Amino acid sequence: MRFKLQTIIIAGLFCCIPEVAVAQQIELDLQQTIEKANKNSLEIFRARNMYLVNELNYQDFLVELRPHLNLQLTPLNYTRSITEVYNSELMKYEPVEIQRLTSQYNMGINQQIGLTGGNLSVNSSLMRSQRYGSSSNNNLDFISTPLSIGYQQNFSSINAYKWKAKIEPLKFKQAKLEFIEQREEVSIKAVNLFFSLLVAQMNFDIAVLNSQNADSLISMGRKREQIGSISRDDLLNLELKQVNAGISVEQAKNQLENARLDFCDFLEIPLDTEIECIAPEKVELAFINPQQAQQLAEKNNPDSHGLIQKLLEAQKQVCAAKRSKYNISVAAGVGLNQNKEVFAEAFQDLLDRQNFKIALSIPILDWSETKRSIQRASLNEQITQRENEKVKEQLMIEVAKKANEFNIKRSELNSAAKADTLSRRAYELTQQLFALGKANVIAINESYKAMYSARNQYLNALQNYWFYYYTIRKLCLFDFQTGRELTSDFDQILETKF
């Protein structure tokens, strides 16, 4: 019985011990890192929502030529005022109180005419009006307009829809390209953070290995000291190397932690996650033709589409300035209406009504203001056209430079990989020679420095390779490995849950 009681007490104590949270540990390669960044990062979330805003704007443009049905209701409108009315009998003005209660509805259909830029409207309205006061005798009127058709056209302003039909599709396509471009920018940031963490991990591993080697070397050195095969100075140097190796481990550990936190923050994953970056093993050393890259950039780069849009905006201003020289407008309408004191009679014996109006405003003396407006718009158009040529030229130069730099980096990566392999073999061989007493401490240190330098150069070359690859992808919006345009999977990318 006592044994059972102790067992229960011990079990209860274990239940009271709080559960220790274990940090999540994941392994990521470069492509997985890029996919997570393009799914979780704040930058891609913002870019996606900005695209959706532009998509809504484009949908607004698409429905401009569709008829719009509007209903306007004024259920109650009461007014009370005092005004002067002329009394013909007394030959003077007298103050009279007027009270009025109205109710009104109006239903109308508006249709924009894309060919001319005018507006066609069809309306139907009904108003109930009742006046109160000593002089009104509680007059009640029903004013009906069962049908009214009107058309308005302003010839002095540009056809806004015609210009929107040219510009809005370009703006929408540019929004798509900018979204894809932002994804590539996120990929570039992911590449840099991935290799920063990878280098930090490699430096930490090398620092730990160096510390372990320093411990082994000092152990072997002390054994050799007993048989007199090593000098006291060499042994002191080994001890100093051991101390410095311990310091390097702490420094590398701090740099690794900083790189891990930046990595987790950008990918929006828990900050306590332990990350193990896997270095890319196979790299397709593809050659990028600078001329092909320039053609792709001219076709896909959002800046190229922005230039066309910018020039159209300038041409639009020139057209508007020329149209503003004269102010000509036309308004026409036909309809049926009636005014009766009884509701049922308000829709009987309808009366025709028509209106037609032409308004002209011709400046006689404007001191050449309109002419100067046209000149300003024309000069701005010329400036825009010249700037577009320069921007396009600079874009082509940048694409050619980045393509050439990528081709150089892929050659450097191949050489750096060979140097990394040879330096590691040389360091292992030097360690074996030192154990046999055929190499001194200086040879060990120099071999280690060469291996460490070759490893860093390889990782830097690997980072530069992927950095310039995604940079040229961003400029051309083209996947050179698969030979596909990045916009070909746009709908699938947009449907990705963020």
Side-chain angles (χ1 to χ4, degrees):
M1 185 69 181
R2 183 180 178 183
F3 174 75
K4 291 183 178 180
L5 181 60
Q6 290 177 347
T7 303
I8 294 173
I9 294 174
I10 293 173
L13 290 174
F14 274 106
C15 292
C16 294
I17 296 176
E19 183 179 355
V20 180
V22 179
Q24 183 183 6
Q25 297 180 355
I26 60 175
E27 292 183 353
L28 292 175
D29 59 21
L30 179 59
Q31 295 304 319
Q32 291 173 335
T33 299
I34 293 174
E35 289 175 2
K36 277 187 172 293
N38 282 323
K39 182 179 179 181
N40 299 337
S41 65
L42 175 62
E43 286 82 353
I44 204 65
F45 176 79
R46 184 188 298 112
R48 180 177 181 270
N49 283 354
M50 289 301 298
Y51 166 76
L52 293 177
V53 170
N54 284 285
E55 185 179 38
L56 294 175
N57 294 336
Y58 184 68
Q59 291 175 357
D60 288 343
F61 158 72
L62 293 178
V63 301
E64 280 193 12
L65 286 188
R66 297 179 183 176
H68 291 70
L69 179 63
N70 300 306
L71 175 62
Q72 296 178 345
L73 295 175
T74 307
L76 182 65
N77 183 13
Y78 173 76
T79 59
R80 176 180 177 273
S81 62
I82 297 177
T83 184
E84 289 187 339
V85 177
Y86 184 74
N87 191 328
S88 59
E89 296 180 359
L90 301 178
M91 303 293 290
K92 66 177 182 178
Y93 287 93
E94 294 180 343
V96 176
E97 180 185 86
I98 298 177
Q99 299 182 53
R100 188 179 185 188
L101 179 64
T102 61
S103 299
Q104 185 176 8
Y105 99 93
N106 181 77
M107 180 175 290
I109 298 178
N110 294 316
Q111 172 70 59
Q112 184 176 356
I113 309 301
L115 182 63
T116 61
N119 184 69
L120 178 66
S121 62
V122 179
N123 293 277
S124 177
S125 65
L126 174 65
M127 184 176 70
R128 178 186 184 279
S129 177
Q130 187 169 9
R131 295 181 300 277
Y132 302 92
S134 58
S135 62
S136 62
N137 295 323
N138 294 338
N139 290 334
L140 176 63
D141 291 318
F142 290 93
I143 305 173
S144 67
T145 306
L147 180 63
S148 175
I149 302 175
Y151 180 79
Q152 293 182 348
Q153 175 75 53
N154 191 344
F155 294 97
S156 61
S157 61
I158 59 175
N159 186 344
Y161 182 82
K162 184 185 73 173
W163 286 100
K164 283 185 177 182
K166 295 180 180 179
I167 296 175
E168 292 299 325
L170 287 176
K171 290 174 65 176
F172 183 54
K173 185 175 182 180
Q174 186 178 4
K176 289 184 177 180
L177 298 178
E178 287 177 348
F179 174 66
I180 299 297
E181 183 185 47
Q182 185 61 38
R183 280 177 53 88
E184 296 307 300
E185 181 65 31
V186 169
S187 299
I188 293 173
K189 292 182 180 180
V191 167
N192 290 333
L193 288 173
F194 175 85
F195 280 101
S196 295
L197 182 55
L198 178 62
V199 169
Q201 289 177 349
M202 293 294 180
N203 289 340
F204 178 73
D205 294 340
I206 290 175
V208 172
L209 178 63
N210 184 35
S211 180
Q212 294 173 351
N213 290 338
D215 295 340
S216 300
L217 291 174
I218 194 65
S219 178
M220 288 186 291
R222 285 170 180 167
K223 291 179 181 179
R224 290 176 58 184
E225 182 187 23
Q226 295 177 358
I227 61 177
S229 63
I230 188 173
S231 64
R232 183 61 181 171
D233 290 342
D234 287 344
L235 186 60
L236 290 175
N237 285 331
L238 288 177
E239 292 177 352
L240 179 61
K241 179 178 177 63
Q242 185 184 33
V243 174
N244 291 334
I247 297 174
S248 298
V249 170
E250 294 301 321
Q251 293 176 343
K253 183 178 180 181
N254 183 59
Q255 293 175 356
L256 175 59
E257 180 64 10
N258 292 336
R260 186 189 67 83
L261 290 175
D262 292 339
F263 186 88
C264 293
D265 178 63
F266 183 72
L267 267 66
E268 296 288 339
I269 58 180
L271 295 180
D272 60 346
T273 306
E274 296 295 333
I275 309 295
E276 182 69 25
C277 290
I278 303 174
E281 295 180 357
K282 297 181 180 180
V283 177
E284 298 180 6
L285 301 176
F287 176 82
I288 295 180
N289 189 324
Q291 287 74 27
Q292 179 192 9
Q294 287 177 332
Q295 294 175 357
L296 292 170
E298 185 176 3
K299 176 183 177 183
N300 299 329
N301 192 281
D303 290 343
S304 297
H305 289 266
L307 299 179
I308 300 175
Q309 176 188 336
K310 190 176 179 181
L311 182 59
L312 284 175
E313 293 284 357
Q315 294 174 348
K316 174 183 174 182
Q317 296 302 321
V318 173
C319 183
K322 292 180 179 179
R323 284 289 190 96
S324 64
K325 187 174 183 180
Y326 303 105
N327 189 356
I328 304 175
S329 63
V330 173
V334 294
L336 301 171
N337 66 348
Q338 185 59 275
N339 181 10
K340 293 291 183 177
E341 295 180 356
V342 180
F343 175 77
E345 296 178 357
F347 296 91
Q348 299 176 1
D349 301 327
L350 297 175
L351 304 177
D352 294 340
R353 73 170 189 176
Q354 301 87 23
N355 70 287
F356 183 78
K357 176 183 177 182
I358 298 179
L360 299 176
S361 177
I362 303 175
I364 303 300
L365 182 62
D366 66 348
W367 307 102
S368 301
E369 181 180 359
T370 303
K371 182 179 180 181
R372 288 192 298 271
S373 297
I374 297 174
Q375 290 177 344
R376 275 194 299 268
S378 298
L379 291 173
N380 288 331
E381 180 188 8
Q382 295 175 16
I383 294 173
T384 301
Q385 190 170 3
R386 183 67 182 90
E387 288 177 345
N388 287 358
E389 294 174 357
K390 189 63 178 179
V391 170
K392 184 177 179 180
E393 180 183 355
Q394 292 174 346
L395 176 62
M396 295 300 103
I397 292 174
E398 182 181 6
V399 170
K401 286 183 177 180
K402 291 297 186 291
N404 291 328
E405 288 172 353
F406 169 79
N407 293 328
I408 294 174
K409 296 304 177 184
R410 75 184 185 91
S411 300
E412 292 179 354
L413 177 59
N414 191 21
S415 301
K418 294 179 180 178
D420 177 57
T421 303
L422 293 175
S423 64
R424 281 190 286 107
R425 292 178 181 176
Y427 180 70
E428 293 171 358
L429 179 61
T430 304
Q431 281 184 311
Q432 296 174 4
L433 293 175
F434 180 81
L436 298 174
K438 297 181 180 181
N440 55 21
V441 177
I442 297 177
I444 282 285
N445 290 336
E446 292 300 325
S447 180
Y448 173 77
K449 290 179 181 178
M451 182 192 69
Y452 183 80
S453 175
R455 188 60 179 173
N456 278 336
Q457 288 179 2
Y458 170 71
L459 292 178
N460 288 332
L462 195 60
Q463 179 178 3
N464 288 333
Y465 170 86
W466 287 110
F467 172 80
Y468 280 103
Y469 175 72
Y470 278 98
T471 299
I472 199 69
R473 271 173 54 117
K474 173 189 170 184
L475 291 172
C476 301
L477 298 188
F478 187 82
D479 189 345
F480 292 91
Q481 291 182 340
T482 61
R484 298 179 60 190
E485 294 185 357
L486 298 180
T487 54
S488 60
D489 299 328
F490 182 82
D491 293 336
Q492 181 179 356
I493 293 172
L494 193 64
E495 292 177 357
T496 303
K497 294 183 179 180
F498 292 87

